[in-house]
Amino acid sequence: MNNFNYYTPTKVVFGKSTEEQTGQLIKEAGGTKVLIHYGGGSVKRSGLLDRIKKSLDAEQIPYAELGGVVPNPRLSLVYEGIELVKKEGIDFILAVGGGSAIDSAKAIGYGVANEGDVWELYDRKRTATGCLPVGVVLTLAATGSEMSDSSVITKEEGWIKRGYSSDYARPVFAVMNPELTMTLPDYQTACGCTDILMHTMERYFTNGGNMEITDSIAEGLMRTVMVNAKILANDPQNYDARAEVMWAGSLSHNGLTGCGNGGNDFATHALEHEISGMFDVAHGAGLAALWGSWARYVYRDCLHRFQKFAVRVMSVEESGTLEDTALAGIRAFEDFLHEIHMPISMSELGIHPTDEQIEELAEKCSIASGDKKGSAKVLHKADMLEIYRMAR
Ligand code: NZQ
Ligand code: ZN
């Protein structure tokens, strides 16, 4: 096993009606004036925004609002938020929504706490020295951004999607009421479940050494998410299934399922970020469309992990060679994706990149990763190109 740091400063407040505690939580965190940051309107339609404002009013905490965050959140709104926060003297950002609202809130927090153009952080030109405190009321179980160190932003000019990670941006608190996710379209629920699985899978398929306790947690998490994703596909109002998935989402991306593992892979994520940057598709569906092609391209270089995944997560009965078992595991996972109505190729996702666009995707992915990505197999531009081609 490898040495590791595990840092999870986020206070989790989980369960029914927990959003009523939001004002109190901001007060405890020392916030005196708040920016409420949210997306395209789901939080208004559900009445959640009004309940949150009531909770802030009860604690006499003043606030400003900035809605309009879109999936694959844009840099231009981040700039707007930075200006607003500076003008209003705001010292706390409350994200209400899914990963996009949270990531946009983190980017605003960086932009206020650091001199210069915030994009330079995402463009690897500088590193952050701080971030305004961010709190979260989560409405979509998917990205784990409510506990993660990461924020992913899309720059409209050139449609460049980049992530930046630092412990400064880990949210101070995360309010998680599984009931809030019951208004999600089925497609978003399935995308979320896929993303949650992938965050653990990216940490599972590595060649740098592993730890049994971490593997057992990871395998339990993956099995639990698959069982409950299938329940939600038929019964979206099932509270217990919503709760299992929501908590799994946070644990899957707060570092827990990678402790002691050497080298996170995250190649599927790197490949996907270019797809959602260029075609504006949902992140989880993009991951589903690429994973099988990535897996078939790399599995021989990480056979022991693919075999373990097949047997312990996908319940494949071992027969034939290790390769046969590994491939059966990959097929079984793709069958699961189909069961929850996720695509397993780009054409199923509804996008049809031209040869030039495939070249551009590989070029951008190679630049974003310094032409070296992955642990199951280290990928360079030619490998990325091949995987995109396979995923058509
Ligand atoms: O904008 P509104 O109207 O709120 O609608 C949203 C949006 O259209 C809707 N929605 C959210 N909660 C809802 C709801 N609709 C009805 N009822 C609810 N309770 O769902 C749509 C998608 O929301 P979004 O926040 O974009 O989804 P998600 O949470 O999947 O976030 C995706 C973004 O996060 C990034 C992705 O790349 C993508 O940009 N990621 C962030 C990570 C991180 N910070 O750690 C890690 C991930 O790997 C990922 O890259
Ligand atoms: Zn993800």
Side-chain angles (χ1 to χ4, degrees):
M1 70 153 283
N2 298 273
N3 293 358
F4 62 88
N5 293 338
Y6 180 56
Y7 179 62
T8 51
T10 307
K11 175 171 181 172
V12 172
V13 182
F14 195 99
K16 293 179 183 172
S17 306
T18 44
E19 65 273 16
E20 289 166 12
Q21 299 173 42
T22 308
Q24 197 187 322
L25 287 162
I26 294 172
K27 198 164 217 177
E28 276 171 22
T32 62
K33 189 165 184 187
V34 175
L35 177 70
I36 307 178
H37 197 38
Y38 54 90
S42 72
V43 299
K44 282 190 176 168
R45 288 191 295 277
S46 66
L48 174 63
L49 194 61
D50 285 340
R51 295 206 296 286
I52 286 172
K53 287 180 183 172
K54 213 169 134 196
S55 160
L56 268 64
D57 289 341
E59 300 294 334
Q60 294 170 331
I61 301 172
Y63 55 80
E65 278 179 54
L66 182 62
V69 181
V70 293
N72 305 310
R74 310 290 200 260
L75 182 61
S76 55
L77 192 72
V78 170
Y79 288 146
E80 211 182 298
I82 294 167
E83 287 313 306
L84 182 62
V85 166
K86 286 182 177 168
K87 189 173 108 220
E88 296 282 335
I90 283 165
D91 58 13
F92 193 96
I93 307 174
L94 179 70
V96 186
S100 295
I102 305 169
D103 286 4
S104 185
K106 290 175 177 178
I108 294 170
Y110 280 134
V112 174
N114 296 274
E115 295 288 314
D117 183 354
V118 70
W119 182 252
E120 288 181 10
L121 300 177
Y122 294 80
D123 211 15
R124 306 275 181 281
K125 299 227 167 72
R126 283 186 294 124
T127 52
T129 54
C131 183
L132 220 60
V134 171
V136 172
V137 178
L138 189 66
T139 65
L140 202 181
T143 65
S145 187
E146 66 277 7
M147 286 183 92
S148 85
D149 62 353
S150 143
S151 154
V152 188
I153 298 295
T154 298
K155 182 182 181 176
E156 292 95 323
E157 194 190 331
W159 295 104
I160 301 169
K161 184 171 177 177
R162 290 271 200 297
Y164 182 70
S165 302
S166 89
D167 282 335
Y168 296 119
R170 289 193 193 265
V172 182
F173 65 76
V175 169
M176 294 187 223
N177 175 356
E179 287 176 318
L180 299 180
T181 65
M182 288 182 184
T183 51
L184 279 166
D186 293 344
Y187 184 72
Q188 287 295 341
T189 299
C191 287
C193 291
T194 307
D195 195 20
I196 292 168
L197 284 160
M198 292 288 168
H199 291 151
T200 287
M201 291 162 79
E202 299 275 26
R203 292 170 166 92
Y204 190 84
F205 294 108
T206 68
N207 265 320
N210 305 94
M211 197 178 179
E212 185 50 38
I213 179 68
T214 297
D215 277 0
S216 298
I217 292 170
E219 289 156 3
L221 186 146
M222 290 186 273
R223 287 193 299 265
T224 305
V225 173
M226 283 193 280
V227 165
N228 287 286
K230 286 192 264 185
I231 292 175
L232 290 175
N234 297 309
D235 181 13
Q237 304 302 311
N238 187 311
Y239 178 84
D240 289 344
R242 290 277 177 198
E244 298 282 356
V245 165
M246 191 173 230
W247 186 222
S250 303
L251 298 182
S252 194
H253 204 34
N254 76 359
L256 179 69
T257 59
C259 292
N261 285 3
N264 294 334
D265 190 86
F266 276 91
T268 311
H269 265 73
L271 293 161
E272 195 291 322
H273 281 166
E274 302 310 331
I275 301 271
S276 46
M278 191 185 284
F279 296 98
D280 206 17
V281 294
H283 169 64
L287 293 169
L290 293 174
W291 184 82
S293 298
W294 167 84
R296 287 192 179 83
Y297 191 79
V298 308
Y299 78 97
R300 286 187 197 85
D301 293 79
C302 197
L303 206 47
H304 61 302
R305 303 297 291 169
F306 276 91
Q307 182 259 354
K308 196 172 186 186
F309 173 79
V311 174
R312 289 176 45 168
V313 182
M314 302 312 301
S315 305
V316 167
E317 288 204 14
E318 286 189 86
S319 67
T321 63
L322 280 185
E323 287 204 19
D324 293 334
T325 304
L327 283 169
I330 294 169
R331 272 194 304 275
F333 189 72
E334 287 182 325
D335 289 346
F336 157 76
L337 289 173
H338 270 163
E339 255 188 271
I340 62 164
H341 313 296
M342 282 286 101
I344 61 166
S345 66
M346 291 198 270
S347 57
E348 286 188 15
L349 176 62
I351 61 169
H352 307 278
T354 61
D355 290 344
E356 291 72 33
Q357 284 172 323
I358 293 270
E359 180 68 41
E360 188 183 337
L361 288 166
E363 174 72 14
K364 281 178 159 173
C365 189
S366 154
I367 291 171
S369 58
D371 200 33
K372 199 168 178 268
K373 193 72 190 175
S375 169
K377 177 182 174 71
V378 178
L379 305 180
H380 305 287
K381 187 182 160 189
D383 307 299
M384 297 166 185
L385 201 57
E386 191 50 34
I387 294 170
Y388 284 129
R389 284 187 184 132
M390 287 166 69
R392 275 177 154 168

